[in-house]
Amino acid sequence: MSHDKIQNSVHDAFFALHHGLPRQGPGSDATTRRLLALAGELPARPRVLDLGCGPGRAALLLAAEAGASGAEVTAVDLHEPFLDELRAAARSRGLADSVHAVAADMGELPYPDGSFDLVWAESSAYSIGFDTALRSWRRLLAPGGTLVVTECEWTTSTPSAAARAFWDRHYALRTTEENTRAALAAGYSVLGVVRQPESDWEAYYAPLRARADAADPGAPGMAEALAATHEELALRRDHAAEYGYTGYVLRPAGDAWRTRPEAASGADRAAVRAVNAAAFPTEAEADLVDALRADAGAWLDGLSYVAETPAGEVVAHALITRCHVDGAPALCLAPVAVLPSYQRTGAGSAVVRAVLSAARARGEHLVLVLGHPDYYPRFGFAPASRYGIKPSFEVPDEAMMALVLDGPGEQAGPAGVPRGTISYPAAFGV
C-alpha cells in the first residue's frame, strides 16, 4: 500500500473513532454557559460564529441561549460528516433556522469585517495556533464584539519530561500567564479566564475510551489510530495535573478609553488623587491611595491603573494592592474611582478590566472586592462566601466578592482557593 493510502486509511480510522461522539474536545454545557456569562450583554439576537464546531454541542447551546431571543449561529468545520451531525441535531431541536453549518477553513474565512457579535472557538484554535487565531479573527468582530477561545496550556511551571515530550511533538503549550500576555499584546482586553475542570476532560474521553475499546484493530489504519488514542488517554491519566484547557473571554480594546499603569515617575499622582477626591463624598479614598502607595508590603508596582480620554485627561483610576486570606497572598481591588462627569461612560469598566488583566498577567490568583453586587459580577466576581472567605467585619454577604483569576469556574467549587478571614493592609483601618 502506498504511503498516501496508508495515511488516508489512518485518517479515516481516526474519524471513525470520533464520529457520533458528543464532543471532539474537553468541555461541558456548564463551561460553555460560564464563558457565555462572562461575555457580557449581547444583542437580543446576536450573530455568532462557532469555529471548529465539530458535531456542534456549543453551537446548539449558543443558538438556544445566547441573547434574549437565541442566536443566529454560523458553525464552521472542515469535516462534512460533523456538519451533517450538527444539521440533524439542529432539526431535532427545532433550531434548523438558527444554525447554519458551513464547510470552511477557519484560517481562511470568507466573512466581511465586523460580521459577528460573538466569535466562539472551543478546543479548536490549536489548528492554526493561538496567536494566529487572535490576530486573524479579530477583524470579524462587530464593535463591542467578544471572542471566546479555549486553549490547552501548562498548569505547572515544571512539566515532566514525558508530558513535555508528548506536547512538543503535537502542539507547543504555554502557561496562562504567557497566553494572557499574548492576548494583551494582540490588542484585547481580558474579560475573564476560566480553567476547565477535570470533568470536562472526562466528558470527552469517557465516550472516546469506550469507542476505542470496541474498535476492530484489524480494520485499515485502525491500529495506528488506536495507538495514538491510547497514548493520549494514558498521558492524561498519568499527567492530568500538568496541563489543561483554559477558556479566554476577550474583547478588542476600544479607542474611547486608553488604559495604562500609573506612571512610575509620579507624574500621575496629582491626577489620581483628584479623581479619587472628586468621586467620593470625602477625601478618605484619596488619602487611602496615598497611604497604600507608602506601604511597601501592600503596594504592587504596575497594579495602579488609569483611564484617560484621547486628549490625555485622566478620568478614572483603579488600584489593586496586596492583602491576605488566612495568611495566603491575595489581592484587594480598592478604590475604583471615576470623575463624576465621566461616570456611566464605560471609563470605570475599562480601567477595572485593565487592572484585572494586569493582575492575571503577573500570575496572581485571587482578587477580593467590597462593592456593589450589581456592578462587579460583570467582571466575574461572585460572593466570597462561596469560597469560604470572609472579612473581619460585618458586611452584607453579597457585597464581599471574590474573583479567581486562573482557577476553575464557579461550577467547579472552591478547590485551590484559600479559605479564611481577609487581612487588609493597615491603611484600610480594619
Side-chain angles (χ1 to χ4, degrees):
M1 185 181 292
S2 70
H3 175 74
D4 286 346
K5 287 185 177 180
I6 293 173
Q7 290 299 106
N8 287 338
S9 67
V10 173
H11 176 274
D12 292 344
F14 173 84
F15 279 108
L17 284 175
H18 284 257
H19 284 158
L21 298 182
R23 293 186 175 275
Q24 296 302 320
S28 64
D29 290 351
T31 291
T32 298
R33 289 189 177 104
R34 171 68 171 156
L35 294 168
L36 180 60
L38 289 172
E41 186 174 354
L42 295 169
R45 190 159 178 80
R47 300 163 298 166
V48 177
L49 178 65
D50 184 7
L51 295 169
C53 64
R57 188 66 174 262
L60 294 167
L61 187 151
L62 294 169
E65 300 183 18
S69 305
E72 292 286 342
V73 178
T74 301
V76 169
D77 204 282
L78 278 173
H79 193 57
E80 191 67 46
F82 286 157
L83 297 176
D84 287 339
E85 291 180 34
L86 171 56
R87 293 181 184 108
R91 286 193 297 271
S92 70
R93 298 188 187 194
L95 294 170
D97 293 336
S98 298
V99 177
H100 312 284
V102 177
D105 185 340
M106 70 173 68
E108 298 179 3
L109 293 165
Y111 306 109
D113 293 1
S115 295
F116 299 98
D117 304 298
L118 181 63
V119 174
W120 199 275
E122 288 192 42
S123 306
S124 60
Y126 72 90
S127 64
I128 62 173
F130 189 70
D131 293 345
T132 299
L134 297 186
R135 183 174 60 252
S136 62
W137 296 344
R138 178 175 173 165
R139 69 170 186 82
L140 299 168
L141 292 169
T146 302
L147 169 64
V148 175
V149 57
T150 68
E151 177 75 346
C152 195
E153 55 190 29
W154 295 121
T155 55
T156 175
S157 59
T158 55
S160 63
R164 186 172 287 282
F166 176 89
W167 284 110
D168 283 352
R169 294 200 318 272
H170 295 281
Y171 185 69
L173 301 189
R174 299 190 298 205
T175 63
T176 301
E177 180 177 352
E178 289 169 327
N179 283 326
T180 298
R181 289 187 183 278
L184 295 173
Y188 290 89
S189 295
V190 181
L191 307 187
V193 177
V194 175
R195 180 77 51 77
Q196 295 183 223
E198 187 61 28
S199 57
D200 280 12
W201 287 84
E202 192 60 17
Y204 169 47
Y205 277 152
L208 178 60
R209 191 182 300 113
R211 181 69 60 81
D213 289 344
D216 176 10
M222 187 58 73
E224 293 88 343
L226 285 172
T229 300
H230 287 142
E231 181 188 20
E232 182 180 342
L233 293 170
L235 185 81
R236 189 64 192 174
R237 179 194 66 213
D238 297 337
H239 300 279
E242 299 178 41
Y243 63 95
Y245 260 94
T246 299
Y248 290 86
V249 183
L250 309 172
R251 182 170 295 154
D255 297 327
W257 303 114
R258 176 174 177 251
T259 58
R260 59 174 176 79
E262 177 185 329
S265 66
D268 292 320
R269 289 187 184 181
V272 166
R273 182 173 178 85
V275 168
N276 280 277
F280 298 99
T282 74
E283 294 193 357
E285 279 74 14
D287 293 339
L288 173 62
V289 173
D290 291 341
L292 289 168
R293 188 181 283 112
D295 183 348
W299 189 262
L300 299 169
D301 289 338
L303 292 186
S304 176
Y305 258 69
V306 299
E308 58 186 14
T309 66
E313 179 188 5
V314 173
V315 299
H317 174 244
L319 177 62
I320 284 179
T321 52
R322 177 67 69 205
C323 67
H324 294 83
V325 175
D326 197 29
L331 299 177
C332 171
L333 173 60
V336 174
V338 182
L339 286 177
S341 58
Y342 287 93
Q343 291 174 6
R344 300 187 182 276
T345 65
S349 291
V351 76
V352 170
R353 294 193 194 282
V355 76
L356 291 175
S357 293
R360 285 190 183 95
R362 286 171 56 100
E364 295 286 350
H365 182 56
L366 176 67
V367 184
L368 302 164
V369 68
L370 176 60
H372 202 294
D374 289 338
Y375 181 72
Y376 286 98
R378 72 184 63 181
F379 308 108
F381 284 92
S385 59
R386 295 185 187 177
Y387 300 98
I389 299 171
K390 62 181 181 181
S392 60
F393 47 91
E394 291 296 322
V395 295
D397 181 72
E398 65 273 15
M400 188 73 247
M401 289 169 277
L403 170 65
V404 180
L405 293 173
D406 62 350
E410 270 180 48
Q411 73 277 7
V417 179
R419 301 169 62 92
T421 302
I422 306 167
S423 298
Y424 286 93
F428 283 92
V430 294

